[in-house]
Amino acid sequence: MKLYLIRHGQYVPIDVSMTCPLSFDGEADIKRLATHLSRIRVKVPHIFHSSKTRARQTAEILAAQLQNDSCALLDGLEPDAPIEPIINKISTCTEDIMLVGHLPFIGKLTSQLLVSDHSFNLVDYQPGTAVCLAHEGGQWHIKWALTPGTY
């Protein structure tokens, strides 16, 4: 099983827009990421995002490019949400999934899956970062990571 962890793209600050949508640059970065993922033939049956506008927009751009109709809100992906409920959900999945979320949540989830300690900062999740984890032989490991400068 593969787990794609995506941090939303750059967004408009709250003092400009209360909903903090993707900025022009953030949207452009995510479109480039989506094109790259399509080129390397990423296929993911389920894409989930948090309730925040920037995460939903990021997920929708990715879903459109990856020709995925299964893009849905998943409670528990907010920035300060506890990671245990999502780890429990992941442990029951048999198909690849993509989660679009925020810091510090996405970083804590990555660390917990890889080294069983969410206090480590293993990945520098800049806006628009994508990490592919694979679960093989009872362990999670990083297959690849992409940041806006690499796609």
Side-chain angles (χ1 to χ4, degrees), residues 5-128:
L5 300 172
I6 314 291
R7 181 174 177 207
H8 60 77
Q10 293 178 21
Y11 58 95
V12 175
I14 197 162
D15 60 334
V16 176
S17 172
M18 290 299 290
T19 61
C20 300
L22 290 176
S23 66
F24 178 79
D25 289 340
E27 186 175 338
D29 284 345
I30 298 303
K31 285 179 179 177
R32 279 194 306 280
L33 172 62
T35 298
H36 182 79
L37 295 178
S38 179
R39 263 188 267 143
I40 63 172
R41 294 187 165 89
V42 167
K43 300 284 185 209
V44 59
H46 307 286
I47 299 174
F48 297 104
H49 58 83
S50 80
S51 62
K52 297 200 178 285
T53 302
R54 57 193 175 269
R56 178 185 49 78
Q57 289 174 314
T58 297
E60 288 172 349
I61 292 167
L62 292 164
Q65 183 66 39
L66 298 176
Q67 300 175 345
N68 184 314
D69 295 331
S70 179
C71 178
L73 170 68
L74 178 63
D75 289 330
L77 295 177
E78 278 65 35
D80 293 315
I83 59 174
E84 292 79 14
I86 297 300
I87 288 175
N88 292 338
K89 180 164 182 59
I90 291 167
S91 70
T92 65
C93 291
T94 56
E95 296 182 300
D96 297 348
I97 59 173
M98 180 178 286
L99 302 178
V100 180
H102 315 265
L103 287 180
F105 178 85
I106 207 95
K108 288 180 178 182
L109 178 62
T110 302
S111 298
Q112 187 67 37
L113 292 172
L114 292 172
V115 298
S116 300
D117 186 342
H118 70 273
S119 66
F120 286 101
N121 186 19
L122 298 176
V123 176
D124 179 16
Y125 275 100
Q126 302 167 34

